[in-house]
């Protein structure tokens, strides 16, 4: 069969500036490359990532498979409808179709629920016989079965490697751990991960894993092996582990780690407790200090719009991140992704303002906050990003600590690209809620 694998554009109508910014900041995808690796050589596979290349609808394909997350779902459906209009069979998969298979099925001949690894061969056999089933349900595969991707043909500044998949924590807003794709923690054999990193044609990369602090024994072994490769990387970890395990921090630095990205989520302990995050706010200052002591930068990410949050939370967060001397931050608006307990709760409470999935990109208010208006939430996050990523603060962050050259360069890249991204996403006055929803907001607050 002639098979086309498609990744829909994050921003289909992006301006030239937005396209350049996307190319500079977007992490290279491994999803379609894994699907390609899974496909038997007897088939001909073509990959189109719409963020880099226009989709041509005149190809003579037997099957089109589209991977989508929530914010690209509508674009995925448009692409699917166009191919189906030409009589070509379409398969949809990814986080969004896994959460809402019934919705996805309206635009596809078959929907993969869960990971492709578990069902892809069977699906292709059925497609060859023109006998696709409507749904293919895949329970999480083992670490050994997680496929290594083929090389990504598109240029991207940030290349990624997946050593583990899934997360054992169950934060109520998390689209990863509350999905059939990420609900179980698995580890790929270390030898294979090392081989993938060796094969990367670049010196720096990012571990895409949700957290490299879940199985610390595995990670330490991986870091010991990584030391031989003379590469640099950034990775995600949990604050409660990083605050205590100095051996892990030393091994990480020796292996070439330049930065840890850590989900602080909130400066309010009550919020962390309510969302099921096992962190202690009291640990945060220590985490920053410890990670810095071992020569690495700490990037803390925060989410705003939880039920505990009032409009004071933005100034409280700014004061805390300056006091803790965090090196860089990520800021997100709370987004109830379908499939999460948060989505179910807010839907039951009639607090979802829109189901226009294209707005579910972490930069739009799509739910009714409990203790502030949607506008206050949007403007508070915007103010915080503007304040932290001011030129004077960026320079302070770059030169304020004793980092080696590569850490300083990586931190500078993160700070400047984050500034550009936040300026672009918060650039215009957002129409936050429709008139009807605004009334609903006013009545409730
Ligand atoms: S720790 Fe991170 S990846 Fe794990 S459930 Fe919480 S938010 Fe998701």
């Amino acid at each position: 069969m002639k098979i086309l694998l498609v990744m829909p554009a994050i921003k289909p109508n992006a301006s030239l500036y937005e396209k350049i910014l996307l190319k500079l900041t977007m992490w290279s995808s491994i999803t379609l490359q894994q699907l390609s690796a899974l496909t038997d050589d007897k088939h001909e596979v073509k990959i189109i990532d719409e963020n880099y290349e226009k989709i041509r609808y005149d190809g003579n394909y037997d099957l089109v498979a589209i991977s989508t997350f929530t914010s690209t779902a509508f674009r995925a459906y448009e692409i699917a409808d166009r191919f189906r209009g030409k009589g070509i069979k379409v398969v949809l998969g990814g986080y969004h179709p896994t959460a809402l298979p019934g919705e996805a099925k309206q635009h596809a001949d078959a929907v993969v629920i869960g990971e492709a690894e578990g069902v892809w061969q069977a699906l292709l056999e059925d497609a060859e016989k023109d006998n696709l089933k409507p749904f293919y349900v895949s329970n999480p595969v083992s670490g050994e079965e997680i496929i290594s991707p083929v090389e990504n043909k598109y240029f991207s500044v940030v290349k990624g490697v997946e050593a583990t998949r899934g997360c054992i924590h169950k934060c109520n807003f998390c689209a990863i751990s509350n999905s059939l794709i990420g609900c179980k923690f698995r580890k790929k054999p270390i030898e294979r991960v090392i081989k993938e990193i060796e094969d990367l044609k670049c010196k720096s990369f990012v571990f895409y894993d949700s957290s490299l602090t879940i199985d610390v024994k595995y990670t330490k072994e991986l870091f010991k092996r990584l030391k031989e490769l003379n590469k640099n990387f950034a990775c995600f970890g949990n604050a409660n582990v990083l605050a205590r395990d100095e051996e892990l921090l030393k091994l990480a630095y020796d292996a070439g780690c330049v930065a840890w990205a850590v989900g602080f989520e909130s400066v309010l302990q009550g919020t962390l407790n309510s969302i099921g995050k096992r962190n202690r706010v009291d640990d945060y200052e220590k985490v920053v200090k410890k990670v810095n002591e071992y020569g690495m930068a700490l990037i803390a990410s925060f989410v705003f719009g939880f039920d505990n949050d009032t409009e004071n939370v933005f100034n409280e967060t700014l004061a805390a991140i300056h006091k803790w001397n965090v090196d860089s931050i990520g800021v997100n608006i709370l987004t109830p992704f379908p499939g999460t307990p948060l989505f179910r709760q807010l839907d039951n409470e009639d607090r979802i303002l829109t189901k226009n999935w294209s707005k579910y990109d972490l930069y739009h208010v799509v739910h009714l906050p409990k203790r502030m208006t949607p506008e206050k939430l949007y403007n508070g996050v915007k103010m915080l990003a503007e304040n932290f990523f001011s030129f004077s603060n960026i320079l302070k962050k770059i030169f304020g600590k004793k980092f080696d050259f590569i850490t300083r360069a990586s931190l500078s890249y993160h700070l400047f690209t984050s500034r550009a991204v936040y300026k672009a996403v918060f650039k215009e006055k957002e129409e936050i809620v429709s008139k009807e929803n605004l009334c609903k907001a006013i009545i409730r607050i």
Side-chain angles (χ1 to χ4, degrees):
M1 287 191 295
K2 201 171 164 198
I3 303 168
L4 175 67
L5 307 176
V6 178
M7 184 65 71
I10 291 174
K11 194 142 199 263
N13 302 316
S15 64
L16 180 64
Y17 172 71
E18 286 167 334
K19 278 185 191 156
I20 295 169
L21 194 56
L22 266 170
K23 287 201 174 111
L24 279 176
T25 54
M26 217 168 51
W27 294 9
S28 84
S29 156
I30 56 171
T31 310
L32 302 184
Q33 289 68 22
Q34 286 175 320
L35 260 190
S36 176
L38 269 179
T39 309
D40 194 290
D41 285 347
K42 70 177 178 180
H43 302 294
E44 188 189 325
V45 178
K46 182 173 169 58
I47 290 178
I48 294 187
D49 184 334
E50 205 193 0
N51 294 297
Y52 295 88
E53 186 181 356
K54 274 207 165 125
I55 298 171
R56 294 197 50 176
Y57 292 89
D58 54 3
N60 195 18
Y61 303 109
D62 300 297
L63 185 71
V64 174
I66 307 169
S67 173
T68 182
F69 36 87
T70 297
S71 68
T72 56
F74 283 176
R75 178 63 191 150
Y77 297 159
E78 271 172 27
I79 299 166
D81 293 346
R82 242 180 116 174
F83 277 115
R84 291 180 91 205
K86 294 170 75 68
I88 298 170
K89 299 275 185 228
V90 171
V91 180
L92 278 164
Y95 280 100
H96 192 77
T98 294
L100 297 177
E103 178 190 288
K105 182 65 185 70
Q106 294 168 36
H107 305 271
D109 298 282
V111 176
V112 173
I113 302 169
E115 295 164 333
E117 277 106 336
V119 293
W120 189 240
Q121 313 293 355
L123 185 150
L124 291 184
E125 281 166 28
D126 290 348
E128 273 183 303
K129 292 182 225 146
D130 197 17
N131 189 25
L132 278 173
K133 298 184 181 69
F135 299 102
Y136 290 82
V137 184
S138 168
N139 287 314
V141 296
S142 69
E144 286 76 20
E145 288 170 293
I146 297 175
I147 193 93
S148 296
V150 299
E151 194 188 336
N152 192 324
K153 65 178 176 177
Y154 301 105
F155 168 79
S156 56
V157 179
V158 185
K159 299 243 186 241
V161 170
E162 178 188 46
T164 67
R165 190 183 287 172
C167 181
I168 53 166
H169 305 295
K170 284 270 178 267
C171 304
N172 79 342
F173 63 93
C174 178
I176 300 169
S177 63
N178 291 296
S179 159
L180 203 52
I181 299 171
C183 61
K184 198 172 161 206
F185 177 70
R186 278 88 24 94
K187 300 164 278 184
K188 271 160 67 175
I190 287 178
E191 275 311 318
R192 196 138 60 79
V193 179
I194 293 292
K195 172 84 177 62
E196 281 178 37
I197 297 168
E198 267 174 343
D199 289 349
L200 284 179
K201 293 190 182 79
C202 54
K203 192 168 156 51
S204 305
F205 68 96
V206 170
F207 275 110
Y208 286 176
D209 310 46
S210 312
S211 169
L212 271 181
T213 57
I214 293 174
D215 184 333
V216 177
K217 200 166 158 243
Y218 172 89
T219 304
K220 286 181 179 172
E221 208 42 55
L222 178 65
F223 285 171
K224 281 180 196 161
R225 291 292 317 279
L226 251 176
K227 197 177 164 183
E228 306 154 15
L229 302 188
N230 195 24
K231 300 258 185 186
N232 297 112
F233 65 90
C235 54
F236 294 86
N238 291 84
N240 54 344
V241 178
L242 295 172
R244 287 171 185 83
D245 197 331
E246 297 201 29
E247 187 194 5
L248 178 71
L249 292 175
K250 177 160 182 5
L251 287 169
Y253 180 74
D254 290 346
C257 180
V258 292
W260 283 92
V262 183
F264 278 17
E265 321 303 5
S266 176
V267 298
L268 305 175
Q269 188 61 50
T271 294
L272 297 183
N273 299 343
S274 72
I275 61 175
K277 191 99 188 172
R278 293 186 203 169
N279 288 356
R280 286 196 346 222
V281 174
D282 288 348
D283 278 342
Y284 286 172
E285 189 163 11
K286 186 175 164 194
V287 178
V288 181
K289 216 166 142 245
K290 283 281 161 219
V291 170
N292 287 166
E293 249 173 53
Y294 283 89
M296 298 166 285
L298 189 133
I299 301 162
S301 68
F302 294 92
V303 180
F304 299 93
F306 292 113
D307 282 358
N308 266 347
D309 291 348
T310 65
E311 55 193 274
N312 297 331
V313 74
F314 308 106
N315 283 328
E316 286 168 4
T317 306
L318 256 184
I321 54 187
H322 287 311
K323 177 171 173 274
W324 300 335
N325 208 357
V326 171
D327 300 302
S328 189
I329 59 167
V331 291
N332 305 297
I333 293 173
L334 182 68
T335 304
F337 290 105
T340 61
L342 177 71
F343 182 87
R344 288 191 287 278
Q345 178 212 324
L346 294 175
D347 209 17
N348 285 340
E349 292 171 4
D350 198 20
R351 289 170 59 198
I352 303 277
L353 294 173
T354 176
K355 288 185 182 170
N356 174 354
W357 305 130
S358 66
K359 303 267 181 201
Y360 282 56
D361 60 359
L362 304 168
Y363 304 128
H364 289 85
V365 181
V366 296
H367 83 291
L368 188 58
K370 203 167 195 171
R371 302 173 73 187
M372 65 180 114
T373 62
E375 287 80 1
K376 289 241 157 80
L377 172 55
Y378 182 84
N379 290 329
V381 177
K382 185 177 172 199
M383 176 280 290
L384 204 147
E386 279 170 1
N387 187 301
F388 187 87
F389 293 104
S390 67
F391 263 123
S392 58
N393 197 46
I394 285 182
L395 293 179
K396 219 159 84 189
K397 292 293 154 194
I398 294 173
F399 297 107
K401 290 180 189 170
K402 277 190 187 159
F403 288 130
D404 60 23
F405 174 76
I406 184 73
T407 302
R408 204 182 301 281
S410 309
L411 178 61
S412 307
Y413 169 80
H414 188 271
L415 288 161
F416 280 115
T417 53
S418 299
R419 176 187 160 92
V421 168
Y422 289 124
K423 263 192 173 306
V425 293
F426 293 126
K427 69 174 186 284
E428 23 187 78
K429 193 160 165 21
E430 174 70 12
E431 194 212 326
I432 295 166
V433 283
S434 68
K435 263 197 197 131
E436 172 204 347
N437 285 329
L438 188 60
C439 294
K440 197 152 84 172
I442 291 164
I443 291 163
R444 278 161 186 270
I445 290 171

